[in-house]
Amino acid sequence: MLHDRDTELAAVRRALCDADGGRSSHLLLTGPFGIGRSALLRALPRLADGLRVRVLRADAAPMEQDFAFGVVRQLFDSLLTVLPADARERWLARAGAARAVLGDFVPDTPEVPNTPDTPDATDPAGAEPTGTALADVRRLLAELSADTPLLLLVDDLQWADGPSLRWLAHLTARLDGLRVVVVCTLRDGDQGTWHPLVREVADTARELRLTALSPTATRALIRDRFTAPGPPQTARPETAGPRTARPETAEADPGRTEPTGIDAEFADACHRAAAGNPLFLVSLLDAIAATTARPTAAHAETARTLRPGRLRDRIVTCLRTQSTPVRDLAAAIATLGEPGDTAPAGRLAGLDPVGCAAALSALHQLGLLPDPHRAAFVHPVVRDAVEASMSAGERQRRHEGAAAVLYDLGRPAEEVAAQLMAVAASRHPWSGAVLRGAADTALRRGEPAPAARYLRRALLDVPDGDPERARLLVELAVAERSFDRAACERHIAQAIPLLATARERAAAALQLPANFLRAASPTSAALLRRVACELGDPDTLDGAAREAALRLEARLRHADCRDPARLADSIGRLGVMEPAVCSRGERELLAVLLHAATLGAGRPAAELAGLAERILDREPATVRSPHSVVPLLVTTLVGADAPGALESWLSAGERGRHPGGSAEDSAPGHAEQALVHLARGRLALAREQAERARLRAEAGGPEGDGLATAALAAVALAARDLPLGAKVLADADRRWPTGAAPAAMLGLLRARQQAHRGDPSAALDTVLACGRELESAGWRNPVLFPWRPWAVGLARRLGDTFAARALITEELARAEAWGAPVALGRALRLQAALAGGARAVDLLRESVEVLRRSADELERARALRDLGRRLGGGAEAAAVRREAARLAAACGAGWSEEWAAAAPGREAGVPVDVVLTPSERRVADLVGHGLTNQEIAAELRVSARAVEKHLTNSYRKLGISGRRELVTVLCEAEPVVRV
C-alpha cells in the first residue's frame, strides 16, 4: 500500500466522482526525483473499482521524444487493443484526421484518400499537428467519455513528444463537455519542465505536490517490507480494475504476517538516511533485506552508510537527461568532495554566478541537493552516481582542474593535494610544493601515513636526475620512519647517492629509524657507518659538521651496544672525554656512553647519575623527539637507584603532552613511568603504567614495544603475579619484542613459571642461560639484570648451598663496585639468609642502613621484615616489623604485621629450604601449584600416604596448620628482585 498519500488519492477519487456527473478535471502530480509520482499514478486505477471508468495510460520517455504523437498513441492503444475488431473499425471510421495520429490501428482503406474531409495529421512541413487532427482526436475522446468516464494517466510529462504535448494542451484547455479526468506527473528540476508546451499543459492543472514520508510512514513501509511467511490464505475473488507492479513500494501480501514491531533505532536511521524519499528508502530496505530477514539495532549503522547499487543506477539515468550545466556542476561537486561552498564548484564547472545558481536550483529541485545554497549532496550514493557517470579520463581532467581552482582560491595545501592525489601526473609547476606542504601539515598533526602518501605522489612529478628528488626521498623517509622502517631505510639509501655534499648525506643518514628505543637494523648501521667514515672524526670538525659527526657516532655506538668490545670502548671513551651537554649532538653521544657504562657497570653509579641529570636538565619535558635520549637516561637513572629527577621530569612531560598525541609517542612514556615506579617499589602504580604502555605499543607499532614488555615483565616478577607473568609470556610468543633487555626479563619470567610448576632445576638452567647471555654481551649491571639473586634462591631450593654462596659472593662484589644502594642492600639481605645467628642480624642491620639511602621502599621493607624475624621478640623487633608492614602497604605489596612476623615453628629468618628436606619441598611446591594429594602422588610416583606424611612434617616444621598457610609461607620464601 501507499503511505502518506491519502490527500492525493482523495483528490483523484473526488475528480472521478465529478467526472461521472459530467465535470472534468486536470490534476498534476509533482515532486523531486524518487518521491513516488509513478507509484501513485499506477495506484490510481484501483480507485475506479466499483465505478464505470475506463483507464487510458501512457508513459513518456526521453528516447521516444522524436516519435510524433507517441504519448497519444499509447493512450489510445490501451483502448484499441481490447476492442473487438468490428467495433474498432466502426469507431475508427469516424476518426477523420485522427486516423494518421492513431497509426497502425487505422484500417487499410485505399478507397478513402486524403481529401479536405480527411486532412493530414501534421502540417506540410511535418513539424506541428494540424488543428483538424487535434480536434478529431478530442472528438473521439468525447465520444468515448459519453458512454463511460475516462481516466487519462500520463507519466513524466516533461519527456512527452511535441505533437502529443500540443494535443494535451489542446485537450486540457477544452475539457468542458467531457467526462474526463487527466492526471499527469511532472518531475521537479528536469530541463523539460520549462518547455513552453509543458508549461501550457501544467498551467491549466491543479497541482498536487508530493512530500517526503513522515517517520510514521517510514516505519509502516519497513513493516511492509520485512514480513514473515504466514499460514496459507483462502483465495479471494479478483476485484475490478487493472493491477500493475510498483517498484517504489511494497504492497501488503495477504499471505504474509507483519512482525510484532520494528526496531526504533533502525527505523530512525533509515528515515534519516533516506530523508523521507520513498525511492531512497525502498532501495535501502531492499539492500538490507538481501542480508537479513529481521533488521535490528545492529543494522542501524548499515542503513546510515549503505550505498545501494540499484539506486545509484537510477540516479545515473536521471543525471543523463539533465542539461550540460547541471551535469557539469554535479560533477564539480563530486570532484571537490562536496565542499559546501558553491564558489569553487561553480568555477570548476565553468559557470558564472547566475548559471551556477540556476544549476544549483535545478539539482535542489531534483532532490539531489538538500540546500540550494550549499554544494553538498543529499546522500553519499548521489556522489557515487555522479562519479560513475564520468569516464576515467574525465575524472582525471576534473581533478586537475579542481586542484587549479583551489590553488587560485588560496585554499589549504591539503585540500589542493587531495585533488592532485587523484591525478597520475600534474602539469602544474606548483604541484610539488603543494604536496610537500600538505605532508608537513599532516606530520605536524601527528599523522605520518597521509604525509607519506602525499610525498609518494610528489615523487611522480620529479624526474630521476632532479636534485629535488633526493630531498623528497628524505622527507618521505622521515614520514615513513614511525610505521614502515624498511621503506624508510630504502628511501634514505636511494637519496644518499643523489646528495651533493658529505654534510647533506650525513643529515639524510641521521633520519634513519635508528632511535634510542630500538637499535639500528644492519642496513641502517651500514649506511650510518659509511656516512660517518666519509664525514670524519668529530674532534677534527667544527660547526654543523661536528654536530652531525657526534650524532652519527652516538647512533653507531648505540647500535653496537651488544658487542662487548664496542661496549668496553664506549666506557673507555666516557672516561677520557670532557662531558658536554650544550648541543644536541653532545647530549646524544654522552647519553649513549652513559647507557653503555650503565649496562656494563663500568663507572660508579653516582657519577653516571650526576651526568644523566645534567642531560635531563637540558631536555624539554613537553616535546618528545623521535631521537630523544630520555630512554637511555631512564636506564642510567633507574640502574643507578636515582630516579628522583627522572620522576619529576616524566610527570611534567605527561602534563604537557598534547591529548591527541600518537600511540607511538605515549607508549614509551608509560613504560618509563612504570620503571620509575618500580624503582620506587610502587607495584600498583608500576603495573598500571606498564599495562597502558603495552596497550599503546600494540596500537602504535613496534616503537616502545620492547621497553613496555620489559616493564611489564619486571612488574610481574616483583609482584610475584603468576597470572600477569603468564599473560606477558603469551603476548611475547605472539608478538616477540626486540632487544636483549626484554629477552632477559622474559627469560627470568619463564624461570619463575618453571619454578612454580615444581621444576626448580629447569628454572635454574633458564636463569643461568640468561646470565651467560648477559655476561657474554658485557651487561653486568646488578640492578638492571638481577639474575644472580634468582639463581641463589633456586640453588638453595635444590640444596646446592655451595653454588648459592658462590653466586651471592659474586653479586655482592658487583654491587659494591657499582655502588647503587638497592643492589648492595639486596645482596646483603640475601647473604644474611645463608648466614646464621648474630652474623645474619649484623648483615641485615647493614642492609637496612644501606637501603635507607635507596629510593626502593619495597626492598627496604623486605630487609626490615627479615630483620624483624631474626630479632624474634622484644620492642625493637616489634618496631622493625611495624615499619616493614607500613612500607609494604604503601608499596602495594599486600603485606601485614602478621605476615611480617616469623612463623612459630622455625627460627626467625631461617629459609624454608633449610627447614624442609628436598622431598618435602617438592611436595610443598606441588601444593602451591594447586595439586591435590592424589595428583601429587601420581606426579611423584609415590603413595598418597607418603604425600600426607611429607605434608604433616612440613606443617610441623613451619609452625602452620594447613595448605593455605603453606602457600603463603612459600610465596614469602621466594626471592623477589626488580629491574
Side-chain angles (χ1 to χ4, degrees):
M1 62 172 61
L2 297 174
H3 301 283
D4 273 1
R5 299 293 180 254
D6 295 341
T7 301
E8 293 80 7
L9 292 172
V12 176
R13 188 178 294 109
R14 286 194 300 270
L16 289 173
C17 293
D18 293 342
D20 192 46
R23 189 166 65 248
S24 298
S25 301
H26 180 199
L27 304 177
L28 184 66
L29 305 178
T30 62
F33 170 79
I35 200 64
R37 302 176 311 280
S38 298
L40 179 58
L41 198 71
R42 284 193 294 270
L44 295 183
R46 285 196 291 265
L47 298 178
D49 292 351
L51 299 175
R52 292 181 59 254
V53 175
R54 179 170 288 159
V55 180
L56 307 183
R57 170 71 185 264
D59 297 318
M63 301 299 293
E64 298 178 2
Q65 287 181 302
D66 293 334
F67 294 95
F69 292 107
V71 170
V72 176
R73 292 186 182 188
Q74 285 189 59
L75 289 172
F76 283 92
D77 283 354
S78 58
L79 168 68
L80 297 175
T81 53
V82 298
L83 287 177
D86 55 346
R88 183 170 62 238
E89 291 176 0
R90 287 195 303 273
W91 186 76
L92 288 173
R94 301 189 302 273
R99 288 180 300 176
V101 174
L102 302 181
D104 293 340
F105 286 104
V106 178
D108 186 11
T109 54
E111 70 277 5
V112 185
N114 282 336
T115 66
D117 296 329
T118 59
D120 290 336
T122 58
D123 65 7
E128 292 292 339
T130 64
T132 304
L134 299 179
D136 284 353
V137 176
R138 179 190 177 281
R139 178 175 53 78
L140 292 176
L141 204 65
E143 293 176 2
L144 288 172
S145 67
D147 297 332
T148 306
L150 300 179
L151 175 61
L152 270 67
L153 305 178
V154 179
D155 197 12
D156 290 321
L157 183 66
Q158 72 276 4
W159 292 335
D161 60 277
S164 294
L165 286 172
R166 177 68 66 191
W167 178 79
L168 286 171
H170 177 85
L171 172 67
T172 55
R174 296 167 177 80
L175 289 176
D176 292 343
L178 302 179
R179 301 169 66 198
V180 176
V181 176
V182 180
V183 183
C184 302
T185 68
L186 184 64
R187 188 167 70 190
D188 295 346
D190 198 288
Q191 61 176 340
T193 302
W194 304 106
H195 190 283
L197 290 176
V198 174
R199 298 316 312 167
E200 185 177 350
V201 175
D203 290 343
T204 62
R206 174 191 171 190
E207 182 178 0
L208 298 176
R209 172 162 292 278
L210 275 62
T211 59
L213 298 178
S214 65
T216 302
T218 297
R219 287 192 292 272
L221 189 57
I222 295 174
R223 279 195 298 270
D224 291 345
R225 183 62 185 83
F226 293 98
T227 56
Q233 302 291 318
T234 58
R236 299 186 305 169
E238 292 294 329
T239 57
R243 301 282 182 174
T244 55
R246 294 181 292 109
E248 277 90 347
T249 58
E251 186 174 345
D253 184 352
R256 301 176 72 86
T257 59
E258 293 187 356
T260 57
I262 296 296
D263 182 81
E265 183 179 354
F266 172 74
D268 182 67
C270 290
H271 182 74
R272 291 178 181 274
N277 187 296
L279 177 60
F280 281 51
L281 178 60
V282 171
S283 299
L284 284 173
L285 297 180
D286 287 346
I288 293 172
T291 62
T292 180
R294 179 66 62 86
T296 63
H299 295 89
E301 186 60 28
T302 302
R304 297 185 188 100
T305 59
L306 191 62
R307 302 178 181 187
R310 186 169 70 90
L311 178 58
R312 181 198 61 221
D313 295 341
R314 290 286 299 274
I315 297 173
V316 169
T317 303
C318 171
L319 288 171
R320 285 174 179 164
T321 64
Q322 304 308 309
S323 64
T324 300
V326 173
R327 293 198 306 271
D328 287 346
L329 183 63
I333 294 173
T335 301
L336 291 168
E338 304 180 54
D341 186 4
T342 60
R347 289 188 59 174
L348 179 58
L351 302 175
D352 59 20
V354 175
C356 179
L360 285 169
S361 177
L363 288 171
H364 172 64
Q365 291 175 8
L366 280 171
L368 303 183
L369 297 183
D371 185 344
H373 305 294
R374 292 192 73 253
F377 294 123
V378 70
H379 192 278
V381 74
V382 180
R383 181 177 177 182
D384 293 346
V386 175
E387 292 176 344
S389 66
M390 295 187 288
S391 66
E394 183 183 357
R395 283 196 292 270
Q396 290 269 323
R397 291 192 298 272
R398 290 192 182 277
H399 281 295
E400 181 85 356
V405 168
L406 295 175
Y407 181 79
D408 292 341
L409 291 174
R411 293 301 176 88
E414 284 191 284
E415 286 189 31
V416 184
Q419 300 299 325
L420 293 173
M421 293 293 290
V423 180
S426 176
R427 56 181 175 80
H428 300 303
W430 40 259
S431 62
V434 168
L435 288 164
R436 293 173 71 177
D440 183 66
T441 301
L443 284 175
R444 292 177 184 274
R445 196 171 55 244
E447 298 179 4
R453 288 196 294 271
Y454 293 139
L455 293 169
R456 291 191 192 106
R457 169 62 187 81
L459 281 171
L460 297 178
D461 296 336
V462 181
D464 291 342
D466 196 322
E468 184 69 14
R469 187 172 185 81
R471 287 187 284 274
L472 270 174
L473 285 168
V474 173
E475 292 177 16
L476 175 58
V478 171
E480 293 169 331
R481 184 169 53 199
S482 63
F483 66 91
D484 193 343
R485 292 169 59 92
C488 175
E489 292 174 347
R490 183 173 63 253
H491 290 132
I492 290 291
Q494 293 171 1
I496 285 178
L498 302 177
L499 294 169
T501 66
R503 186 177 301 178
E504 289 178 337
R505 289 190 285 273
L510 287 172
Q511 301 302 328
L512 285 166
N515 58 29
F516 300 118
L517 276 171
R518 172 174 188 168
S521 68
T523 302
S524 293
L527 283 172
L528 290 169
R529 189 166 287 108
R530 187 176 70 199
V531 173
C533 291
E534 182 183 10
L535 193 60
D537 191 337
D539 295 336
T540 64
L541 303 171
D542 57 9
R546 177 178 179 273
E547 181 74 4
L550 289 172
R551 297 184 64 197
L552 286 171
E553 182 183 355
R555 301 290 196 288
L556 287 170
R557 289 189 179 276
H558 184 260
D560 296 334
C561 64
R562 294 198 65 180
D563 185 339
R566 293 288 295 168
L567 191 71
D569 184 69
S570 296
I571 296 172
R573 176 94 158 89
L574 178 64
V576 298
M577 73 176 291
E578 183 66 28
V581 295
C582 296
S583 70
R584 181 179 176 183
E586 291 172 342
R587 291 195 296 274
E588 286 188 7
L589 179 57
L590 180 57
V592 169
L593 297 178
L594 292 177
H595 176 69
T598 301
L599 294 177
R603 307 284 295 180
E607 175 189 339
L608 300 184
L611 292 173
E613 289 175 359
R614 285 180 56 190
I615 299 175
L616 201 62
D617 290 339
R618 294 295 189 107
E619 285 288 313
T622 56
V623 180
R624 292 293 292 270
S625 164
H627 297 296
S628 173
V629 298
V630 172
L632 303 179
L633 300 180
V634 170
T635 301
T636 299
L637 292 172
V638 169
D641 195 13
L646 185 62
E647 184 175 19
S648 59
W649 190 95
L650 290 173
S651 298
E654 182 68 20
R655 290 192 300 271
R657 185 173 291 121
H658 192 276
S662 65
E664 300 98 298
D665 295 334
S666 56
H670 290 308
E672 291 157 3
Q673 290 186 8
L675 293 176
V676 169
H677 287 312
L678 203 57
R680 292 284 194 183
R682 303 165 184 165
L683 296 180
L685 293 175
R687 174 167 183 167
E688 177 187 354
Q689 292 294 334
E691 291 276 12
R692 293 173 66 184
R694 185 62 179 163
L695 292 175
R696 289 300 189 100
E698 289 182 351
E703 297 298 334
D705 190 34
L707 189 60
T709 300
L712 201 56
V715 170
L717 288 169
R720 302 176 233 177
D721 192 330
L722 291 172
L724 177 60
K727 178 183 176 183
V728 173
L729 290 173
D731 288 345
D733 291 338
R734 176 177 56 87
R735 178 189 171 103
W736 187 259
T738 59
M745 290 300 99
L746 291 172
L748 294 179
L749 197 58
R750 190 168 286 104
R752 171 74 174 82
Q753 299 287 325
Q754 290 170 337
H756 182 72
R757 289 196 296 267
D759 193 356
S761 179
L764 180 59
D765 291 341
T766 301
V767 172
L768 292 176
C770 289
R772 286 192 297 271
E773 185 175 353
L774 292 168
E775 290 289 323
S776 66
W779 292 13
R780 301 183 175 89
N781 191 290
V783 178
L784 298 176
F785 311 112
W787 61 273
R788 284 188 183 84
W790 281 95
V792 168
L794 292 168
R796 288 169 50 201
R797 183 170 173 179
L798 292 169
D800 192 348
T801 307
F802 177 80
R805 291 185 185 279
L807 287 167
I808 198 57
T809 300
E810 292 177 5
E811 182 71 6
L812 184 59
R814 291 284 175 84
E816 289 174 343
W818 175 235
V822 66
L824 183 57
R826 183 173 59 221
L828 291 169
R829 179 175 63 84
L830 293 175
Q831 191 175 40
L834 294 175
R839 173 62 178 162
V841 173
D842 292 341
L843 288 171
L844 287 171
R845 288 186 189 277
E846 183 180 359
S847 173
V848 170
E849 290 305 315
V850 169
L851 289 170
R852 291 195 186 280
R853 304 194 306 271
S854 170
D856 193 338
E857 295 179 347
L858 184 59
E859 188 60 47
R860 192 190 319 156
R862 294 191 183 105
L864 287 167
R865 176 200 61 190
D866 291 354
L867 178 59
R869 287 174 173 174
R870 288 284 183 176
L871 291 174
E876 182 186 5
V880 168
R881 286 195 291 270
R882 283 195 299 272
E883 183 181 1
R886 177 181 59 79
L887 288 174
C891 292
W895 297 348
S896 65
E897 253 187 78
E898 291 76 17
W899 293 353
R906 60 190 172 105
E907 181 185 353
V910 176
V912 173
D913 292 320
V914 176
V915 175
L916 301 181
T917 66
S919 298
E920 291 168 346
R921 180 58 196 259
R922 282 196 296 272
V923 172
D925 286 337
L926 293 174
V927 169
H929 198 53
L931 273 66
T932 64
N933 288 359
Q934 289 76 12
E935 290 171 338
I936 294 172
E939 178 74 19
L940 299 179
R941 296 183 179 180
V942 298
S943 65
R945 177 62 180 166
V947 173
E948 294 174 2
K949 181 179 179 181
H950 284 313
L951 286 176
T952 301
N953 292 335
S954 299
Y955 298 158
R956 176 179 53 79
K957 291 179 180 180
L958 298 174
I960 58 179
S961 59
R963 285 174 173 262
R964 186 184 299 274
E965 295 180 50
L966 176 61
V967 173
T968 301
V969 170
L970 291 175
C971 288
E972 289 292 314
E974 290 187 10
V976 180
V977 291
R978 69 154 178 84
V979 177

